[in-house]
Amino acid sequence: MNHPNRPVVKDWRAYLKDFRKRNRLTQNALASRLGISVRVVENWEAGINKPAPYLRRALKDLERKPNDPPHRL
């Protein structure tokens, strides 16, 4: 079930590229922060795979402001 306050991402390729741009991260930097290989990020942006739910939550946690509450599933 989707959380009512979170939009559903339909295009992960575009979302991830925009996410990196907004947060000034390279593919390598994003992979490092998530503890995954850069190849995984490349595959997401190429549309080969989508992030697993726990990595989607980690992406949201990376983007949140310091005083925001943590995201929950």
Side-chain angles (χ1 to χ4, degrees), residues 27-28 31 36-46 48-49:
Q27 287 180 335
N28 196 38
I36 59 176
S37 74
V38 70
R39 185 71 179 160
V40 172
V41 176
E42 290 170 353
N43 286 342
W44 291 345
E45 291 188 4
I48 296 169
N49 295 318

Side-chain angles (χ1 to χ4, degrees), residues 47-66:
I48 296 169
N49 295 318
K50 294 179 186 176
Y54 76 97
L55 289 168
R56 294 174 194 179
R57 186 174 23 174
L59 285 166
K60 291 291 184 186
D61 287 342
L62 282 177
E63 192 166 39
R64 72 184 183 88
K65 307 287 185 280

